[in-house]
Amino acid sequence: MKKREVSNSKVCVIGGAGFLGSHLVDHLIDDKGCEVLVLDNLITGLKKHLHPQAKLKWFDIRDDENELSKILVEEGIEYVFNYAAEPYIPECFERPMHFFDINATSVLKVLNACQKAKIKAILQVSSAEIYGDMKGKIKETDPVEAHSTYGVSKLAADGLVQVRWKEAKVPGIAMRQFNCVGERETHEYVIPEIVYQLAKSSTVNLGNNSFRDFQYAGDAVKMAVSLLENGEFGEVYNMGSEEGIQIYDLAHLIGKLMGHESVDIVVDESRVRPWEIWHLQSDNTKLYNHIPLRPEVSLEESLIKTINYFKQNHMSWDF
């Protein structure tokens, strides 16, 4: 039996005009019958991504937490999903303070605002980038060794969710999301960049040949809602497909789906990450002990959906 029921409730999605956030808004409205308030500063999110029944308010989570709390109370919000983040890792090397401010300090502001507004539950989206370089599937109990300011900021956010539950019973759950793929991608790593290059030629310039776990965005947000309904407060949960592929193999697969007989890969030193995590693959055991849903869309199906969106979007991405 569910601990909480999101269906037909009033929900706020922070960052709801972005890639995953907009998929979540669609699911909440179309499948769950929710009234959805989207808070977004529209820097990377776009109005065109929004469901026509969603209500949009411009808001930046770096701003006053009291203003956020006021909005949540005035709108009668019961549940909050925080998908707002600076996620594009290469930029964090040059802007570490900016990344930490948005991905960590501002998370504390969101938790404080939700506490003041007496929100029933908050799902904070974290990242697999908190983990170090390991082989095989990764569990929540495995060592963490973030390889970027982005990873450190997400690890800090996880810690805040955990301690604020212990300190003040702020009802938060942290979800360590592994890589996603799907329509409305808003950052170039890594599938959008491969698709873009292969739309022009059969040659792809890439950096590290790392292994990544890719989950379809539509599956990820459905499972996220189920986690908010069934998860334990103050806990962290991995979420991914539990499968994966090396980036060079991914490029060959995308090339095949885009009609190329073969793909030539050129190693571009400017794209090589200075401290790579070579293997990220989720172990969903803890998650599956709490939610009934499982991924439904395969990697190949996800890539086809993504490629079709790119073609329908005038052979371009939304960034």
Side-chain angles (χ1 to χ4, degrees), residues 278-292:
W278 291 101
H279 192 103
L280 286 178
Q281 183 179 13
S282 182
D283 184 321
N284 288 354
T285 301
K286 182 177 179 180
L287 178 72
Y288 290 164
N289 285 336
H290 288 80
I291 73 169

Side-chain angles (χ1 to χ4, degrees), residues 11 13 18 68 98 138 150 208 233 279 291:
V11 180
V13 180
L68 175 56
H98 174 72
I138 300 170
Y150 170 78
N208 305 84
F233 293 144
H279 192 103
I291 73 169

Side-chain angles (χ1 to χ4, degrees), residues 1 4 73 79 81 90 94 124 207 238 260 280 312 315:
M1 184 175 179
R4 295 163 288 279
V73 171
Y79 299 102
F81 293 82
E94 302 296 329
Q124 171 61 42
N238 286 346
H260 293 287
L280 286 178
Q312 294 163 7
M315 304 294 280

Side-chain angles (χ1 to χ4, degrees), residues 266-279:
V266 176
V267 179
D268 181 350
E269 292 299 327
S270 69
R271 299 174 186 270
V272 173
R273 286 173 60 173
W275 190 19
E276 178 64 297
I277 301 174
W278 291 101
H279 192 103

Side-chain angles (χ1 to χ4, degrees), residues 21-48:
S22 63
H23 280 270
L24 173 62
V25 171
D26 287 353
H27 173 57
L28 289 169
I29 294 174
D30 293 336
D31 303 324
K32 293 291 186 178
C34 295
E35 293 182 36
V36 178
L37 170 68
V38 170
L39 299 182
D40 204 299
N41 62 10
L42 300 176
I43 292 176
T44 56
L46 296 174
K47 288 183 179 180
K48 76 172 190 175

